[in-house]
Amino acid sequence: MPPVFPSIEHIMLKQTAIALLLGSLSLAAHAQTPAAPDTLNRVMESKTLRVCSPGDYKPFSFDHNGRFEGVDNDLMDALAKSLGARVEIVKTSWPTLMSDFTSGKCDIGVGGISITLPRQQQALFTEPYFTNGKTPLVRCADVGKYQTVEQINRPEVRIVANPGGSNENFARTVLTHARLTMHPENLTIFQELIDGRADVFVTEAAEAIVKSHEHKGVLCGVNPDRPLRPAQNGWLIPDRDFRFKAYVDQFLHLEKLSGSLDRTIRRWLPQ
């Protein structure tokens, strides 16, 4: 019996069915992957740059009677101007910073944010624009007592931290033997040292420098030029929005090249 070969029509129908199946699978996969945000286009169309900031961290961003001031706020004004937009501040807190940002409440997150891996898992960061690091802030008479992690990480040492950020993380993961007290926010935490209720507050070098300047002879940063753990600051960018990240990185690059970034930092950080 001679072999039976499929007809041309049968082959074409089979190929069409396969093509349709592959197409539907591709569309299903595409539908399951949310579209990347286009923050750059949104900001230029709305003419509004929504900026998340806790507003409690000098010299980067500080809520001064409703007006946010500092290094980051000056730079946000310049970034918004480059986009033909105005800045709209969305006040957040360190415990809610990432949830506020990832829920879409703002286009960019600023305020002296340390670049960390847990934060990087949820959003993008710009290139670093400032090198910082964990630095003890103490009463000036005690500078010699708290030079190292080993000198601080003792049961008799009273440390204080504010919730939700890298200060709390450092206190809980590195200073595990010291006696930790949590203070609800970052604005009045320094009074705990001044009034003798705490011995050490490990914060970032920049903040230690500012508070040493504001409370001369009372509070002193311990070796802010040699932090206990170096860190860098960057701005939060929505996850997968590489177009907006590239734009903001280029903005920062031009600010560095022109010397404007250094001038802005010197304006707010005591020398």
Side-chain angles (χ1 to χ4, degrees):
M1 183 175 180
V4 178
F5 296 100
S7 66
I8 297 296
E9 291 80 2
H10 181 79
I11 293 172
M12 291 180 66
L13 284 172
K14 190 173 183 180
Q15 289 176 336
T16 301
I18 292 172
L20 288 171
L21 177 61
L22 292 174
S24 63
L25 290 174
S26 176
L27 286 171
H30 184 72
Q32 291 173 5
T33 304
D38 190 353
T39 306
L40 189 63
N41 187 60
R42 197 211 67 77
V43 171
M44 289 191 294
E45 285 191 349
S46 68
K47 299 192 180 304
T48 302
L49 178 67
R50 301 171 303 161
V51 178
C52 270
S53 173
D56 64 355
Y57 184 2
K58 293 182 179 180
F60 298 103
S61 184
F62 184 74
D63 183 357
H64 183 69
N65 297 323
R67 177 179 173 81
F68 279 62
E69 301 175 341
V71 172
D72 285 8
N73 295 108
D74 282 0
L75 292 170
M76 285 300 102
D77 287 341
L79 176 62
K81 184 178 179 181
S82 77
L83 293 166
R86 65 176 182 85
V87 169
E88 179 184 298
I89 294 292
V90 179
K91 189 165 185 177
T92 182
S93 67
W94 293 108
T96 63
L97 170 64
M98 294 309 300
S99 59
D100 285 344
F101 187 74
T102 56
S103 67
K105 291 183 179 180
C106 39
D107 305 308
I108 191 167
V110 308
I113 303 172
S114 297
I115 299 173
T116 67
L117 293 179
R119 287 170 177 159
Q120 188 86 63
Q121 291 168 6
Q122 303 177 66
L124 299 175
F125 270 102
T126 62
E127 290 298 312
Y129 66 98
F130 189 84
T131 298
N132 222 337
K134 290 302 172 198
T135 299
L137 185 67
V138 304
R139 290 179 292 278
C140 291
D142 294 337
V143 167
K145 294 169 58 177
Y146 303 119
Q147 293 278 314
T148 65
V149 167
E150 290 72 25
Q151 289 176 310
I152 300 169
N153 194 26
R154 295 177 177 177
E156 67 272 18
V157 178
R158 299 167 302 165
I159 63 174
V160 65
N162 56 306
S166 59
N167 292 340
E168 180 183 7
N169 178 267
F170 188 87
R172 293 192 184 281
T173 61
V174 178
L175 304 176
T176 54
H177 298 298
R179 200 187 331 161
L180 172 62
T181 298
M182 295 302 298
H183 191 75
E185 42 79 25
N186 200 44
L187 294 175
T188 59
I189 196 169
F190 312 99
Q191 201 63 38
E192 299 299 296
L193 298 172
I194 294 170
D195 293 344
R197 290 186 291 271
D199 302 312
V200 182
F201 172 39
V202 177
T203 182
E204 298 294 338
E207 185 168 57
I209 292 170
V210 169
K211 293 304 173 181
S212 297
H213 182 77
E214 289 182 356
H215 303 281
K216 279 186 178 177
V218 179
L219 296 181
C220 289
V222 181
N223 306 319
D225 57 329
R226 290 181 284 114
L228 301 177
R229 184 170 70 189
Q232 291 183 308
N233 295 129
W235 298 332
L236 289 168
I237 298 291
D239 191 27
R240 296 177 294 111
D241 197 343
F242 295 101
R243 181 173 180 239
F244 189 50
K245 171 177 161 54
Y247 184 90
V248 180
D249 282 344
Q250 180 65 7
F251 166 81
L252 280 171
H253 178 64
L254 294 174
E255 289 290 296
K256 292 175 185 177
L257 280 180
S258 67
S260 181
L261 178 61
D262 283 342
R263 288 192 295 272
T264 300
I265 291 171
R266 286 197 300 269
R267 186 180 306 130
W268 294 101
L269 185 64
Q271 303 300 305

